[in-house]
Amino acid sequence: VTPGTLTDAELLADKHDAVLLALHVGAHRHCGLAWCAITEGTVHLAECDWPQLRGWLQRIAPREVLYSADLPSAAEAELREGLAPTSLGTSAALTVRPAWVFDATLGQRKLCEQLQTASLAAWDAQALAAAQAAAAALLDYAEHTQGARLGHVRALRVVRPQENIELPATTRRNLELTQTLRGEPAPTLLSLLDTCATSMGSRLLRRWLLEPPRDRRVARQRLAALAVLRDQGVEPLRQRLRGLTDVERLTARIALRQVRPRELSGLAQTLQRCDALAQTVAELASGGDSELMTQLAESLRPPLAVAEQLTRALLPEPAALIRDGGVINDGYDAELDELRAIQANADGFLLELEARERARTGIANLRVQYNKVHGFYIEVTQGQLDKVPDDYRRRQTLKNAERFITPELKAFEDKALSAQERALAREKWLYERLLDDLQPFVPALGTLARALATLDVLVALAERSLTLQWCAPQFVPEPRIEIRQGRHPVVEARLQETGAGPFIPNDTVLDARTRMQIITGPNMGGKSTYMRQVALIVLLASMGSYVPAASCRLGPIDAIHTRIGAADDLANAQSTFMLEMTEAAQILHHASEHSLVLMDEIGRGTSTFDGLALAAAIATHLHDRVRAFTLFATHYFELTEFPTRHPGAVNVHVSAVEGKGRDIVFLHQIEPGPASRSYGVQVARLAGVPAAVVQQARHTLAQLEAESARLQRQFDLFDAAPPAPEPTDPSTPHPALQALAELDPDTLSPREALEALYRLQALLRPGA
Ligand code: ADP
């Protein structure tokens, strides 16, 4: 048993998969990845270059990573570091495997065997040699630890970097998708969405949430299915889904021959219930226009032969383990029935024998008994010994009695004692045959499991959309994020729970012309909430869910990047500011014009001027070069000047008013234009900072504001910087070089040579 190869339901979290991953590092540090959850049945393949590896590992979050013994030690150290427990929550066991198992040809063959195909062409995976090498190691190790072939692993998925909307680890953390910033499972977007009836559904929902596809067809299909479910009522389906067993994991355990009797009887019940479920879904599908529902209705048809056989084979409440017997049903096997009858009839037989022997011998107190040491015997007291017949053989002498055995009793004893042992052996044998009989159904059970999980997720999303009053998003081809009356689902739910008042909905419009919002306003005004709600709505729509808004029109999106908050990553020895800049750098390098970027309070971790200068430069870069959809919240008031010089940006602010007694009241409403002031002192007062401190702060603030107004007249924050020296194009040499090449030293006088030197030097000066 290793962290990545657990299959026992009792040792696994219901709602997570334990993922095993193999990593092959080939020439030029090109990486092949192959991974699967052994309890699931799909092998995933991907390839990436070394610098991207960390991101992949964080996204996949494996429990155990296999790598080759010939991995150079420098790379190994980097790998260890990349997988070390960090605030990002990755931590995995590392297992070295012999280099020869990382073999592409072997991998291809193993995968073909697993998938029962002749080539990997259908998955367009023939050329992924590095990933195939990893797959060889993965399957080899899985078989090795399970001691069995992985009959249930029948699906392959090639994950291409461009396929899904990129959600870097920072984004997952900052948006609190599956974990709060404190590392708790709730309240998060997942915990809000997850009203799934089965663990299979919960696990699939997590995957949908973390892997939203860029191709809108998937989301459209899911949305169409949700529309059908919403129309026809979700409650009957929820009822039917409740209490179904984890068919996905059971299928894996059947294939690995590790399944327990009780799990199988649970499966039998689930299969029987699936029939009714399939019918309901078929009815729903025929009443609506959803390809996905029609597909589901097909795949939900359970292999009823399995259910029948299981019910016939297993006792209604079988023992937990086959070892103890009491698993196989009566009437399933004649030999077992006979063996059991012997045990069951023992008492009757002994009473009958006792009566018979009393009559035959005339010994009224003769007793037939049993003990562990001596087995069965007939006991006759001292006074009656003269009546004992010839065929009695003495077994034991006691003070007041003698114990005998007869040939008939001896024969019975042999039969009874061995019957118990033989019944146990027979049950085990029958159970193994039952597992044999189930193997051909493994693929059908796998299909059923996937269909059940999908249905469960759809039903949960439909229920959520109705209960929380969400709307269906629309997808448009042009660049656009248009949200009317958007809400932050988790904050809204919390406000409702605590009765702290209503959530104030807000609009967002970003399009080809306006790609950036500079968001100002007081702390606690709702800037972070607003930015996150936009990201969550984009994510929900992309995964094919309804969204917390009155309407939503969404263009193509390739990534959601976030730079939010100031959590020190002490485990990685990075200071707040270093982390802030590292994350900003990643965004500036990776974001594209189809990305959504959230920048919250960039530059906060350093001195005012440093921070302001960096914030202004980063905003400029995002606006001019990257052209991503950007929500840029800042406490630097100076940045509200930005839109006057940058046509793609607009100012918005969260509104607040000063109530009676100079107390601040947050309205949480996003309004056009810059905030009029920052209300920092008022917020401090609200937080209970002593009056004297507040008073002094007010005084200092007035002075600082006067000083800064004077300063601002003197310099321009967005003054275009001198262009960075362009990297020289090798095809056109620098003018100085050209001039140098043109010189003919043999014809120059010493004076001319000196002048030429001056000229060359001048050519090298900037601005020349
Ligand atoms: P900021 O980022 O401006 O400091 P937050 O976004 O953290 O402010 O919001 C502070 C608090 O205000 C939130 O925890 C939430 O309780 C409340 N809040 C924010 N936005 C809204 C809203 N739209 N409607 C109601 N309450 C809100």
Side-chain angles (χ1 to χ4, degrees):
V1 176
T2 74
T5 58
L6 278 179
T7 58
D8 195 324
E10 282 160 34
L11 300 177
L12 278 171
D14 280 351
K15 301 192 171 184
H16 290 266
D17 281 320
V19 173
L20 175 68
L21 179 141
L23 164 70
H24 173 70
V25 184
H28 309 294
R29 284 199 170 185
H30 185 67
C31 300
L33 303 174
W35 68 99
C36 77
I38 297 210
T39 46
E40 197 223 333
T42 306
V43 174
H44 298 76
L45 300 182
E47 294 196 350
C48 68
D49 290 322
W50 184 260
Q52 283 105 47
L53 180 63
R54 193 169 170 162
W56 278 89
L57 292 176
Q58 280 173 350
R59 275 195 300 273
I60 300 166
R63 280 280 184 80
E64 185 171 3
V65 175
L66 313 175
Y67 66 98
S68 164
D70 67 1
L71 187 70
S73 55
E76 188 187 338
E78 273 182 63
L79 183 64
R80 268 181 203 289
E81 195 190 318
L83 286 170
T86 63
S87 55
L88 298 179
T90 51
S91 100
L94 281 165
T95 305
V96 189
R97 299 294 294 158
W100 61 265
V101 294
F102 291 81
D103 180 278
T105 318
L106 178 67
Q108 195 164 28
R109 206 185 68 221
K110 273 179 171 293
L111 284 171
C112 287
E113 271 171 26
Q114 216 57 70
L115 304 165
Q116 304 186 331
T117 56
S119 93
L120 301 178
W123 292 268
D124 199 11
Q126 307 106 299
L128 302 178
Q132 288 165 9
L138 177 83
L139 292 170
D140 170 79
Y141 186 71
E143 285 164 9
H144 173 73
T145 50
Q146 301 303 311
R149 283 208 48 237
L150 308 176
H152 63 298
V153 175
R154 295 286 172 104
L156 179 68
R157 206 165 92 73
V158 178
V159 183
R160 300 181 201 274
Q162 306 298 321
E163 198 171 75
N164 290 334
I165 294 180
E166 200 186 334
L167 299 174
T170 44
T171 295
R172 296 175 180 207
R173 186 188 46 179
N174 287 331
L175 294 180
E176 304 192 293
L177 297 183
T178 60
Q179 266 194 351
T180 65
L181 287 172
R182 293 185 186 169
E184 285 150 3
T188 59
L189 185 59
L190 181 64
S191 74
L192 182 76
L193 288 178
D194 188 2
T195 55
C196 291
T198 70
S199 326
M200 291 178 282
S202 298
R203 292 195 301 269
L204 184 65
L205 175 61
R206 169 187 295 267
R207 270 176 257 152
W208 282 18
L209 185 65
L210 296 180
E211 296 166 13
R214 281 188 206 179
D215 184 348
R216 298 299 191 198
R217 271 176 301 186
V218 180
R220 281 206 178 95
Q221 273 193 352
R222 293 176 185 168
L223 286 166
L226 289 183
V228 173
L229 288 170
R230 280 167 55 99
D231 274 358
Q232 320 251 352
V234 293
E235 214 31 57
L237 281 175
R238 274 162 66 81
Q239 298 284 352
R240 289 197 190 284
L241 283 165
R242 230 166 261 149
L244 295 186
T245 58
D246 197 330
V247 182
E248 185 177 54
R249 287 192 173 166
L250 281 187
T251 305
R253 290 169 59 73
I254 289 173
L256 299 168
R257 308 183 74 95
Q258 294 169 347
V259 68
R260 299 207 176 110
R262 282 205 188 138
E263 294 174 325
L264 282 184
S265 69
L267 177 65
Q269 285 166 13
T270 292
L271 291 178
Q272 279 154 354
R273 289 176 52 190
C274 280
D275 206 29
L277 191 63
Q279 261 166 24
T280 316
V281 174
E283 280 160 29
L284 288 186
S286 65
D289 182 19
S290 159
E291 205 182 316
L292 185 53
M293 290 296 283
T294 317
Q295 275 171 20
L296 282 182
E298 279 301 306
S299 324
L300 277 173
R301 302 223 170 275
L304 281 178
V306 173
E308 257 164 52
Q309 182 168 13
L310 288 176
T311 345
R312 247 183 341 111
L314 299 173
L315 286 167
E317 295 209 8
L321 298 172
I322 182 73
R323 189 178 65 203
D324 307 330
V327 166
I328 301 292
N329 209 348
D330 295 323
Y332 182 65
D333 177 65
E335 190 177 331
L336 179 64
D337 285 349
E338 198 186 314
L339 292 168
R340 279 191 179 148
I342 295 171
Q343 295 174 65
N345 293 338
D347 289 346
F349 171 81
L350 294 175
L351 284 174
E352 188 251 344
L353 180 73
E354 195 173 74
R356 214 161 9 96
E357 290 299 306
R358 279 182 186 169
R360 177 160 81 104
T361 59
I363 305 173
N365 64 351
L366 174 149
R367 289 192 301 164
V368 179
Q369 286 184 317
Y370 169 82
N371 77 27
K372 273 205 179 136
V373 183
H374 296 100
F376 291 94
Y377 53 82
I378 300 172
E379 191 172 286
V380 180
T381 50
Q382 281 294 343
Q384 310 282 339
L385 283 178
D386 53 336
K387 295 189 190 152
V388 166
D390 287 346
D391 59 346
Y392 277 31
R393 298 273 165 277
R394 185 166 289 117
R395 230 183 190 180
Q396 195 190 7
T397 305
L398 304 176
K399 202 164 138 220
N400 301 322
E402 297 269 323
R403 288 173 175 176
F404 300 91
I405 184 99
T406 64
E408 187 188 7
L409 188 55
K410 179 75 184 115
F412 173 80
E413 178 182 87
D414 291 346
K415 210 166 128 190
L417 290 184
S418 74
Q420 198 178 358
E421 254 167 54
R422 279 165 49 215
L424 267 183
R426 184 77 189 167
E427 278 203 67
K428 273 188 207 155
W429 186 83
L430 288 168
Y431 194 70
E432 288 299 320
R433 296 294 73 74
L434 182 62
L435 292 185
D436 289 342
D437 292 347
L438 290 178
Q439 297 308 317
F441 294 99
V442 162
L445 289 172
T447 310
L448 174 69
R450 276 189 292 280
L452 279 175
T454 310
L455 180 68
D456 196 9
V457 176
L458 288 171
V459 169
L461 289 180
E463 180 277 326
R464 291 284 77 187
S465 74
L466 289 165
T467 311
L468 304 173
Q469 304 187 334
W470 290 2
C471 79
Q474 285 177 344
F475 298 114
V476 294
E478 70 272 10
R480 173 169 289 273
I481 298 177
E482 181 189 322
I483 299 165
R484 302 285 167 198
Q485 304 281 298
R487 285 120 57 203
H488 188 302
V490 182
V491 173
E492 183 182 32
R494 207 185 54 215
L495 287 181
Q496 220 157 45
E497 249 168 52
T498 56
F503 188 90
I504 312 297
N506 278 304
D507 296 351
T508 310
V509 183
L510 293 168
D511 55 22
R513 280 214 345 255
T514 308
R515 291 180 165 272
M516 180 182 267
Q517 289 187 347
I518 304 283
I519 309 165
T520 45
N523 272 321
M524 290 299 289
K527 299 186 295 295
S528 313
T529 307
Y530 167 73
M531 295 202 296
R532 285 186 169 109
Q533 99 190 11
V534 173
L536 292 183
I537 289 172
V538 167
L539 175 58
L540 282 169
S542 304
M543 74 179 256
S545 162
Y546 279 45
V547 296
S551 75
C552 166
R553 286 155 63 80
L554 193 61
I557 294 288
D558 68 0
I560 301 177
H561 293 284
T562 58
R563 162 56 228 162
I564 293 181
D568 262 324
D569 190 355
L570 291 180
N572 278 344
Q574 288 194 320
S575 75
T576 312
F577 183 64
M578 183 64 184
L579 189 72
E580 187 179 333
M581 287 300 124
T582 312
E583 290 182 10
Q586 275 166 6
I587 296 175
L588 295 179
H589 286 305
H590 288 115
S592 83
E593 60 178 328
H594 294 303
S595 309
L596 171 63
V597 174
L598 310 188
M599 285 280 184
D600 197 359
E601 308 282 17
I602 197 82
R604 183 163 235 178
T606 183
S607 77
T608 311
F609 284 165
D610 255 7
L612 174 57
L614 280 167
I618 287 172
T620 309
H621 191 84
L622 282 169
H623 179 276
D624 294 356
R625 299 267 180 101
V626 179
R627 306 186 58 236
F629 293 122
T630 307
L631 299 178
F632 200 100
T634 183
H635 60 292
Y636 292 119
F637 210 63
E638 294 82 346
L639 283 186
T640 52
E641 289 295 313
F642 188 83
T644 51
R645 302 270 292 273
H646 298 86
V650 291
N651 274 313
V652 298
H653 69 282
V654 283
S655 52
V657 290
E658 217 163 328
K660 269 193 238 118
R662 285 172 153 194
D663 263 347
I664 182 171
V665 179
F666 303 115
L667 302 178
H668 302 306
Q669 190 84 55
I670 296 286
E671 287 174 7
S676 53
R677 42 190 304 207
S678 60
Y679 298 101
V681 177
Q682 284 86 339
V683 174
R685 196 179 116 119
L686 212 61
V689 171
V693 177
V694 171
Q695 192 49 39
Q696 166 156 15
R698 271 213 173 99
H699 177 69
T700 315
L701 178 67
Q703 283 182 335
L704 283 174
E705 277 175 350
E707 179 68 7
S708 112
R710 192 178 61 75
L711 255 177
Q712 224 164 32
R713 282 194 294 277
Q714 292 176 8
F715 80 105
D716 183 349
L717 193 57
F718 309 112
D719 207 6
E726 291 292 329
T728 39
D729 182 350
S731 59
T732 53
H734 193 280
L737 286 177
Q738 227 161 356
L740 183 62
E742 282 160 14
L743 285 182
D744 181 3
D746 294 335
T747 65
L748 295 181
S749 70
R751 189 194 168 94
E752 280 167 340
L754 192 63
E755 275 166 4
L757 256 183
Y758 282 130
R759 259 202 327 277
L760 286 175
Q761 233 179 13
L763 280 174
L764 286 172
R765 275 195 204 107

